[in-house]
Amino acid sequence: LSPPGDAVATSARPGALVSHVSLQDRLSRLAAVFGRHRRISLALQVAVVALLLGFLAYAVRGVWADAAPRLRHADLLDLGCACVVLTAYYLLFVFGWQRILHAWHIDISYRVAVQSEMVSMLAKYVPGGVWTPAARVVALRRAGVTDTPLVLASILLEAGLSAVAGVLVFVLSLAFVGSVDAPLLPLVLFALAVVVLLQPRIFRPVARRLLRPFGASDVPELPLSTMFVLLVYYSFSWLVGGLALFLLLRSVGGDPDPAAIPFLGGVSAVGAIVAVLVIFAPSGVGVREASMYGLMLAVVPEGVALGATVLNRVAITVVEAGLLLGTAIAWRVREEPGESAPPTGGQSAST
């Protein structure tokens, strides 16, 4: 359901109508091309993922004999606690994105923010790569936020800040564990590149150019003080994610040192970064698990690492679906006053 006036192709920004018409033409041509080759494209992605999963299964074939009974007899108490902590991690993560939107005078309820995040999280499993931001944009439009360029810019900032925080946690956590065979140089170079791109003098023109097809004329500056606070906040959220992974390891019979929790938070961050960068695998299926499994071998045996890797994929999917379902039910049962009206500030009437 779109807000009133949502279907009118008007904008308060100069030249927006031309941009939207141009975008509509481009999307129509792209849709036509994708429609002709959709089955081939999807078949190729499925084949690649199947090949990758097959290779991974072959690589750990000797470990599965140890991991399988650990999964069958997993400690349900530790597993339940891990899911609770993982839920807390997602709920904390949403605050960061909500803070970015608030800095740009887009105020939405926390429930709307959670539902939008979870819709985009589950959209990662759809092949194509574009559905994650698209799902969040659509979810916010249902709540009255029609400034698509600003929403997309906030998603870019959220991803960049959380990625830098994750690499920071991982690098600093190496002091708490022994020898780790990790690709430190690529990770550090990646984080430095993201830091440079997040600088307002660079981010604003780059985002404006990337989002111009969606009608962007300018992207507001996010104060450096706000970015620093969010960097610290996202670092803390990765530690919460590390606690969830710690409990998953315990649930399959592992006995990791509690001092390894920061390292496990960094492992979760590296897995999430790899999942985003490898666009051919929906939600990073296979590549995320491979990276996390390899890094966890620094603190637990192979069978424990493999069991926790499998449970981690199941847990994040269940938690994301549960949060989405919970917020959807809450949306139906209790409508907040004025929620149907567009949030104030930071919006345009463009479609």
Side-chain angles (χ1 to χ4, degrees), residues 20-107:
H20 292 310
V21 172
S22 176
L23 174 62
Q24 185 177 5
D25 292 340
R26 293 177 187 176
L27 290 177
S28 298
R29 290 195 295 267
L30 182 62
V33 173
F34 183 76
R36 290 195 298 268
H37 304 286
R38 179 173 54 188
R39 292 184 179 179
I40 297 177
S41 175
L42 293 178
L44 286 175
Q45 291 189 60
V46 171
V48 170
V49 172
L51 182 64
L52 177 62
L53 292 177
F55 173 78
L56 293 176
Y58 179 79
V60 298
R61 64 191 185 283
V63 184
W64 187 250
D66 181 29
R70 292 179 181 273
L71 288 171
R72 285 196 298 267
H73 303 289
D75 189 293
L76 297 182
L77 178 59
D78 283 332
L79 180 58
C81 290
C83 290
V84 170
V85 175
L86 191 60
T87 301
Y89 159 76
Y90 279 114
L91 294 177
L92 285 171
F93 197 81
V94 173
F95 275 116
W97 180 51
Q98 198 177 20
R99 182 65 185 85
I100 295 173
L101 292 174
H102 176 75
W104 289 344
H105 308 292
I106 298 179
D107 294 316

Side-chain angles (χ1 to χ4, degrees), residues 155-195:
I155 295 173
L156 291 175
L157 278 174
E158 176 198 49
L161 288 170
S162 62
V164 172
V167 174
L168 184 63
V169 168
F170 180 77
V171 173
L172 295 179
S173 69
L174 295 179
F176 299 94
V177 296
S179 177
V180 179
D181 185 15
L184 276 182
L185 182 59
L187 278 175
V188 172
L189 292 178
F190 167 77
L192 291 175
V194 174
V195 168

Side-chain angles (χ1 to χ4, degrees), residues 277-296:
L277 294 179
V278 183
I279 59 175
F280 65 81
S283 191
V285 173
V287 290
R288 180 175 191 162
E289 284 70 29
S291 60
M292 294 182 65
Y293 169 76
L295 291 173
M296 283 192 292

Side-chain angles (χ1 to χ4, degrees), residues 1 3 108 139-147 339-343 347-348:
L1 296 176
I108 58 176
L140 280 190
R141 291 184 72 84
R142 289 173 57 90
V145 180
T146 58
D147 198 331
E339 186 174 326
S340 59
Q347 301 182 65
S348 71

Side-chain angles (χ1 to χ4, degrees), residues 101-137:
L101 292 174
H102 176 75
W104 289 344
H105 308 292
I106 298 179
D107 294 316
I108 58 176
S109 69
Y110 181 68
R111 179 159 51 83
V112 170
V114 171
Q115 188 174 43
S116 301
E117 283 266 12
M118 293 309 106
V119 168
S120 66
M121 291 291 182
L122 292 175
K124 293 184 300 184
Y125 291 94
V126 181
V130 301
W131 306 113
T132 300
R136 202 181 304 190
V137 168

Side-chain angles (χ1 to χ4, degrees), residues 5-11 17 20-21 349-351:
D6 197 39
V8 180
T10 60
S11 175
L17 181 59
H20 292 310
V21 172
S350 60
T351 57

Side-chain angles (χ1 to χ4, degrees), residues 115 118 122 318-332:
Q115 188 174 43
M118 293 309 106
L122 292 175
V318 170
V319 168
E320 289 168 1
L323 286 173
L324 176 60
L325 180 61
T327 53
I329 293 175
W331 192 308
R332 295 286 186 181

